[in-house]
Amino acid sequence: MTEPQIKVSISLHQDTVYDLETAIDHASKSNYNSVTVPLAHRRFDREFVVEPLKTNHNRFTRSDLLLNSTQWLNRVICRLSCNVDCDSLDDNVRRQGESTIRQEISYAEHLVQSGYILLRLKNGNCANLARLTSVGLKGVLLVEVPMVNPKATQATWRSDSHDGEPDDTWNWWNNFRSYMDFDSHVKIALEFTADIPSKQEIYRWLGEPVDAVVLSANTFLTNANNYPVLSKAHQELLVLFHRTFGCHFIVKANPEDKRLVHYSDYIKYILRTNYKKDVMHGYDDLLEIPLQPLYDNLDSFTYEVFEKDPVKYILYQNAIEQALRDRVPAEELETRTSIIMVVGGGRGPLVRATLNAAAKSKRKVKIYVIEKNPNAIVTLSALINELWQNKNIELISTDMRDFEPPEKADILVSELLGSFGDNELSPECLDGAQRHLKPDGVSIPCKSTSYLNPCMTTKIYNQIKSLEKSIHAKDRIVTSRYMEGTYVAYLKNVYHIDNPQPVFEFVHPNLDPAIDNSRFKTLHFKAQLDCVMHGFSGYFDSVLYGDINISIHPFTHTKGLGSWFSMFFPLTEPVQVRAGDEIVVNFWRCVAAHKVWYEWNISAPRLSHVHNVQGRAQPIWK
């Protein structure tokens, strides 16, 4: 069996390097892709004096001519001095630290341009340090943070804390990136420590921009064959973070350590042996605008993507088959024909599922296929003429709400569900089409429920923020509303602050005397840990028929179902949340003559404005 080809980049971290080219060559022979080295060279001293210069203090490090620009970019991670204190109460110490950091960042970006610069964070008292590093940052600033504070226990309290919070290293990072206004150039180099935090604390890091994992040689154990290995818990962490982030690795070890090659080879071995192909790879945390198939005609590519779902149409087929068996007893197999209306036929997958269900159940059917997209009608016509010419199928080119059938249906089949259940206007469509049903007719699906939970996802938030910046850069007069729109995304780089709760429910056919599809719900959540809330993840589950369900709810997700990713409802500003805080969200589904839209706001832990008022950012057109 061929081993999976996984690209793993590993850098060798060295505290002291006298000859850079030799260090790179030595690391390469031990299967490392790059070296992480101090930017300042120990052979050079520096002092910051008033001009004109009378010393050689600018010679604090190596010449850039040692390597070409490609080598600097790909083979070197520049590490900033960690023995400075830019937030010291001592003015002289602070000023010396400021000058050092400014000088090093300037030279580091001169060397690596858009490459990596490493900064080790020592505590959460870092406002001035963040202020200095945020100026004109062009490359990636890797902020090294230990997963667990090695000097702290659960009973230890921060000496620099003003509010009595435990010394949680996540708060160091949160302070730093908050001071930098969630700058997308700033990412985490998370150091695995000997102690492993709780699962909740691990999951919280999954919502952050972790770009590298740092492993010290002393984290490795020695097995019976005298080879370095990681504990089972550390192996699981390694695999989890690589699957989530595709991160690279930095190994801290003495360059004279005889086991250097074993560290790098072992990391690659663990990742290869635990490799699992992700069928959604390529869609990770990729923002998409929700489809509006009622308003827009879908293209061939979109149809094709959904038709490849290996699970959905099997479940639909099972539901239709079960409904046919329930409605037509065995003694009426030859005398009774069930009328099935496929509303929203697309390119025919539901028609195919219906034909298969009829064949398996040995029930006779007549199928009306209603489709409004004239381009899909071409495909459906070809299928009927070439493949289904002997089937009892009638094709109708119209909106399902305008169709006037010659007879009533036993079963109404549709796939109008969106990522939030009702966001593709299945209630409005099916309410209009249900008059085609017999009094005892059934709808497949017959019920849908939407769910919501608060989440932290720095990557998604920064993507939306970049859209805002882009539109303002082009035209500063335009008021963009990207932060109030809704998005579909396969959320991978995310921390779920609390479990999902149900929001809206719709039943079909709707037998209410006066049908009203507007909704309002207030939900209460509770944070288990300090975190940042960027918005809310939305999901749905649906009953097709009987006990046949489809779901993208995290706890009941239908295995293999790939047609829907979760919805994301952003907040225009990140909300700092403390452990134990109650999160209260108000959510509206609003309905007007020609559009439907969602509005939302939070009333705890602080008040926010109502997002997407009157659908100003994103209406769903009827």
Side-chain angles (χ1 to χ4, degrees):
M1 182 176 178
T2 305
E3 288 189 343
Q5 296 298 312
I6 304 175
K7 291 184 179 180
V8 182
S9 178
I10 307 177
S11 182
L12 179 60
H13 183 291
Q14 301 186 20
D15 287 327
T16 305
V17 174
Y18 291 102
D19 188 316
L20 184 58
E21 291 174 293
T22 301
I24 292 174
D25 184 61
H26 177 61
S28 179
K29 289 176 179 176
S30 296
N31 295 339
Y32 292 86
N33 304 85
S34 64
V35 292
T36 300
V37 297
L39 186 68
H41 198 293
R42 289 192 176 186
R43 289 178 180 171
F44 299 102
D45 293 324
R46 56 184 154 170
E47 56 183 273
F48 300 95
V49 297
V50 178
E51 301 292 347
L53 302 180
K54 295 181 181 179
T55 70
N56 65 347
H57 71 271
N58 265 354
R59 292 189 62 224
F60 71 99
T61 191
R62 310 167 179 82
S63 165
D64 59 356
L65 296 177
L66 283 176
L67 305 173
N68 62 43
S69 58
T70 302
Q71 289 174 316
W72 279 114
L73 181 64
N74 297 317
R75 304 302 300 274
V76 178
I77 296 176
C78 296
R79 181 164 61 86
L80 304 181
S81 296
C82 57
N83 58 347
V84 296
D85 188 354
C86 296
D87 289 88
S88 173
L89 298 177
D90 186 304
D91 287 346
N92 291 327
V93 173
R94 188 188 72 254
R95 287 171 183 156
Q96 180 73 15
E98 290 175 352
S99 299
T100 300
I101 289 297
R102 283 197 186 101
Q103 184 185 51
E104 291 190 2
I105 286 182
S106 175
Y107 193 66
E109 293 209 318
H110 169 73
L111 294 175
V112 299
Q113 301 164 23
S114 59
Y116 288 103
I117 303 169
L118 183 68
L119 169 69
R120 183 169 178 83
L121 210 57
K122 294 184 289 186
N123 54 52
N125 181 27
C126 54
N128 195 39
L129 178 62
R131 180 183 71 87
L132 293 166
T133 52
S134 65
V135 178
L137 193 62
K138 297 187 289 290
V140 176
L141 181 65
L142 278 177
V143 180
E144 185 182 350
V145 186
M147 183 173 271
V148 175
N149 184 357
K151 297 181 181 179
T153 65
Q154 290 183 348
T156 305
W157 298 88
R158 277 207 315 250
S159 59
D160 61 306
S161 174
H162 299 290
D163 54 10
E165 287 297 317
D167 198 355
D168 184 347
T169 56
W170 177 86
N171 279 312
W172 301 2
W173 154 251
N174 185 46
N175 289 353
F176 185 83
R177 61 89 176 274
S178 297
Y179 293 139
M180 295 189 70
D181 193 25
F182 292 79
D183 192 325
S184 59
H185 293 90
V186 182
K187 301 183 184 296
I188 301 174
L190 188 62
E191 182 181 17
F192 284 6
T193 47
D195 293 328
I196 293 177
S198 67
K199 282 189 176 180
Q200 274 289 328
E201 291 172 302
I202 292 169
Y203 294 155
R204 180 175 57 182
W205 287 113
L206 299 185
E208 299 291 8
V210 176
D211 197 272
V213 165
V214 182
L215 286 162
S216 297
N218 58 17
T219 309
F220 288 83
L221 307 173
T222 302
N223 67 9
N225 296 319
N226 205 32
Y227 282 102
V229 295
L230 292 171
S231 69
K232 188 68 175 176
H234 282 93
Q235 290 178 42
E236 291 173 354
L237 274 183
L238 197 75
V239 172
L240 173 64
F241 277 80
H242 189 259
R243 282 181 184 166
T244 303
F245 302 102
C247 54
H248 62 276
F249 299 88
I250 300 174
V251 174
K252 289 184 177 180
N254 189 316
E256 302 303 319
D257 192 328
K258 302 299 182 184
R259 305 197 299 178
L260 280 183
V261 68
H262 299 307
Y263 299 137
S264 60
D265 287 351
Y266 179 78
I267 292 171
K268 294 172 184 176
Y269 166 76
I270 290 298
L271 296 178
R272 281 199 307 268
T273 54
N274 289 277
Y275 172 77
K276 287 184 180 178
K277 185 177 180 180
D278 186 352
V279 294
M280 300 302 176
H281 180 68
Y283 293 98
D284 303 355
D285 302 301
L286 179 66
L287 285 180
E288 298 179 52
I289 303 298
L291 296 173
Q292 295 198 31
L294 189 62
Y295 184 72
D296 300 319
N297 288 326
L298 302 183
D299 56 39
S300 178
F301 175 79
T302 304
Y303 281 128
E304 185 175 312
V305 169
F306 291 125
E307 288 165 5
K308 288 179 179 177
D309 191 305
V311 172
K312 176 171 65 174
Y313 296 111
I314 293 175
L315 292 174
Y316 264 96
Q317 177 181 315
N318 294 342
I320 297 167
E321 180 184 348
Q322 187 60 53
L324 286 171
R325 292 182 185 278
D326 289 346
R327 294 185 68 81
V328 181
E331 59 270 20
E332 297 181 24
L333 289 181
E334 298 300 323
T335 59
R336 183 170 173 182
T337 298
S338 297
I339 307 301
I340 299 180
M341 291 184 187
V342 177
V343 289
R347 299 199 310 179
L350 285 182
V351 181
R352 193 174 293 108
T354 302
L355 291 172
N356 291 341
K360 288 192 69 176
S361 64
K362 296 185 171 69
R363 266 63 176 176
K364 292 183 177 181
V365 298
K366 179 177 182 180
I367 305 172
Y368 288 91
V369 184
I370 301 94
E371 174 55 52
K372 72 172 185 63
N373 184 349
N375 303 310
I377 288 291
V378 175
T379 306
L380 288 168
S381 298
L383 288 170
I384 292 172
N385 292 330
E386 296 169 15
L387 295 179
W388 304 330
Q389 65 268 36
N390 297 323
K391 306 298 182 183
N392 194 356
I393 301 175
E394 186 171 338
L395 178 61
I396 311 294
S397 178
T398 188
D399 189 305
M400 69 185 74
R401 295 168 294 180
D402 301 329
F403 177 46
E404 294 295 340
E407 54 190 327
K408 296 288 187 180
D410 293 280
I411 303 172
L412 193 69
V413 183
S414 66
E415 55 171 329
L416 301 165
L417 298 164
S419 294
F420 201 50
D422 58 83
N423 61 290
E424 291 185 7
L425 305 190
S426 58
E428 284 70 25
C429 292
L430 293 178
D431 289 347
Q434 70 182 27
R435 59 194 174 89
H436 308 327
L437 273 174
K438 293 177 180 177
D440 65 341
V442 299
S443 173
I444 297 175
C446 61
K447 185 173 79 167
S448 68
T449 306
S450 54
Y451 299 85
L452 209 65
N453 72 323
C455 65
M456 176 174 75
T457 172
T458 305
K459 185 174 182 179
I460 292 292
Y461 172 77
N462 278 334
Q463 284 187 61
I464 302 173
K465 189 168 73 166
S466 70
L467 295 175
E468 289 277 356
K469 288 181 178 179
S470 175
I471 193 71
H472 283 297
K474 292 177 182 176
D475 188 347
R476 296 186 181 278
I477 300 174
V478 173
T479 301
S480 64
R481 299 286 183 184
Y482 284 107
M483 294 304 299
E484 294 191 16
T486 60
Y487 300 89
V488 174
Y490 174 46
L491 293 177
K492 199 171 182 181
N493 192 172
V494 62
Y495 167 61
H496 297 288
I497 298 171
D498 200 357
N499 294 334
Q501 296 182 24
V503 192
F504 306 139
E505 182 179 283
F506 294 91
V507 176
H508 307 291
N510 188 342
L511 302 179
D512 292 345
I515 293 177
D516 180 4
N517 290 321
S518 63
R519 298 284 192 275
F520 171 70
K521 190 73 172 284
T522 297
L523 300 174
H524 298 258
F525 301 93
K526 188 174 182 179
Q528 303 301 313
L529 297 171
D530 293 357
C531 58
V532 175
M533 180 168 57
H534 293 113
F536 296 85
S537 299
Y539 321 91
F540 82 94
D541 63 22
S542 181
V543 178
L544 294 181
Y545 181 82
D547 61 353
I548 301 172
N549 305 307
I550 53 175
S551 172
I552 63 167
H553 187 293
F555 298 162
T556 59
H557 198 293
T558 303
K559 188 175 181 180
L561 187 67
S563 287
W564 297 278
F565 299 152
S566 56
M567 288 281 279
F568 181 68
F569 300 88
L571 294 170
T572 54
E573 295 292 335
V575 177
Q576 300 286 344
V577 179
R578 291 294 186 184
D581 278 354
E582 183 181 41
I583 298 168
V584 180
V585 58
N586 303 303
F587 215 88
W588 293 264
R589 187 183 196 267
C590 306
V591 180
H594 300 294
K595 66 179 181 179
V596 175
W597 69 96
Y598 301 109
E599 297 180 9
W600 63 95
N601 85 311
I602 58 169
S603 51
R606 65 168 176 81
L607 285 172
S608 79
H609 70 278
V610 177
H611 294 61
N612 197 32
V613 173
Q614 291 297 305
R616 63 189 178 190
Q618 194 179 76
I620 309 169
W621 300 106
K622 289 186 178 180

